[in-house]
Amino acid sequence: MKPDVLIVGKMMPHVMEALEAAYTTHKLYEADDRTKFLNEVGESIRGIATSGHLGADPAMMDACANLEIISCYGVGVDAINLPHAASKGIIVTNTPDVLNDDVANTALMLLLASTRNLVAYDKFVRAGRWPKEGDPPLTQAIADEQIGIVGIGRIGQAIAQKLGVFHCNVAYHARSERTNLPYRYYGNIVDMARDSLALIVITPGGAATHHLINREVMDALGPKGHLINVSRGSVVDEDALVAALIEGRLGYAGLDVFANEPQVPDALLAMDNVVLQPHQGSGTVRTRRAMGDLVIDNLAAHFAGKPALTPLG
Ligand code: 8YV
């Protein structure tokens, strides 16, 4: 008997193939009426395959009374109600480590694009302005500048290492100091913003970090400062960000994530001092394949009676 698995949203082809081969699959994304569908199949479901974006809410878990495991595609699990899962003894797995390098590279890419005006200068060349107007204004070096990382988990540490290669002075803010790390610690994020050329945000999303990057932090970063966000849109007060950029209180932003994806505020689209990505931090073929493999392998280990490979907590 194949275990029954609920697939919340369509996954990459190799994940779909593996899930369909190993399990009796139930595709929530094909249902017209999700509540009715969950009422009908819920009892049979022993596993859920979902993504960091789609998550799993208490109603979904409650509808699946025999649920044992939620396997999440993505490292960020803010869309999964973890206390509810824990209260029901449901294992939750995510896809850590395999994406560290690519998300860290995205952070560095945005930092360099922002400080060197990459997108605006690309447009400048394409528009034929160079021969007419001459060289554009000089830009901002990052070597010997302090870059503050907000969140120093696995990806934060990968970013810190890469910043070292660029000869930046690395600082970080986290709830507590990590004495094993050779970087300057700030308990106060506003102080770190004031002392830094740029902040790179890579702390998990969710209620605890909602709007952690607020007007005060942006003002401390200042008119020459750069805000880079590769975590979750919810961590940054997006209205305050738009206002700070418009009013020149904050210099630049490099954003991979937004409050209401895939919607991006119109005001940001019109700005030259902003570089935007469509939530592609981990978006390389190799990394996404490895993330998909972990979704499959976590479920496979669990249903083979072994411990899940990358459980939370
Ligand atoms: C994924 C991410 O795009 O891992 C994460 O938390 O944000 C990205 O790597 C996303 O989770 C897929 O839904």
Side-chain angles (χ1 to χ4, degrees), residues 51-53 73-76 99 232 279 282 288 291:
S51 69
H53 181 62
Y73 175 80
V75 72
L99 43 56
R232 286 290 182 264
H279 198 147
S282 64
R288 287 288 171 85
M291 289 164 63

Side-chain angles (χ1 to χ4, degrees), residues 198-259:
L199 291 192
I200 298 179
V201 183
I202 185 60
T203 192
T209 58
H210 186 258
H211 289 189
L212 177 67
I213 309 298
N214 57 18
R215 178 180 173 138
E216 199 187 354
V217 176
M218 293 173 208
D219 285 352
L221 204 45
K224 295 195 169 153
H226 299 256
L227 178 66
I228 309 299
N229 189 7
V230 289
S231 65
R232 286 290 182 264
S234 61
V235 182
V236 172
D237 181 341
E238 206 167 69
D239 291 339
L241 173 65
V242 168
L245 288 165
I246 288 175
E247 291 160 23
R249 287 180 284 105
L250 174 67
Y252 310 83
L255 307 171
D256 184 44
V257 289
F258 303 88

Side-chain angles (χ1 to χ4, degrees), residues 171-178 183-188:
Y172 70 98
H173 166 77
R175 268 176 298 187
S176 53
E177 186 169 5
R178 303 277 293 268
Y183 312 119
R184 181 171 181 190
Y185 172 69
Y186 284 84
N188 185 318

Side-chain angles (χ1 to χ4, degrees), residues 39-157:
N39 282 340
E40 278 163 15
V41 303
E43 286 281 302
S44 67
I45 302 295
R46 294 176 60 198
I48 290 180
T50 188
S51 69
H53 181 62
L54 297 168
D57 60 21
M60 189 185 292
M61 295 181 215
D62 292 345
C64 304
N66 297 303
L67 182 61
E68 297 162 28
I69 180 168
I70 299 172
S71 182
C72 175
Y73 175 80
V75 72
V77 288
D78 44 302
I80 299 178
N81 192 310
L82 296 179
H84 199 74
S87 74
K88 296 173 106 46
I90 299 165
I91 299 162
V92 178
T93 65
N94 65 347
T95 60
D97 290 326
V98 293
L99 43 56
N100 294 354
D101 244 318
D102 275 328
V103 179
N105 287 351
T106 301
L108 266 295
M109 175 178 79
L110 290 173
L111 177 66
L112 286 169
S114 184
T115 51
R116 301 303 302 270
N117 232 354
L118 178 72
V119 174
Y121 284 4
D122 177 272
K123 282 191 203 156
F124 176 86
V125 174
R126 286 173 201 269
R129 290 174 57 193
W130 192 14
K132 293 182 204 142
E133 297 175 36
D135 293 342
L138 302 178
T139 55
Q140 172 68 50
I142 61 169
D144 299 323
E145 296 287 344
Q146 177 168 299
I147 310 295
I149 304 175
V150 180
I152 200 74
R154 289 179 268 218
I155 305 175
Q157 290 179 47

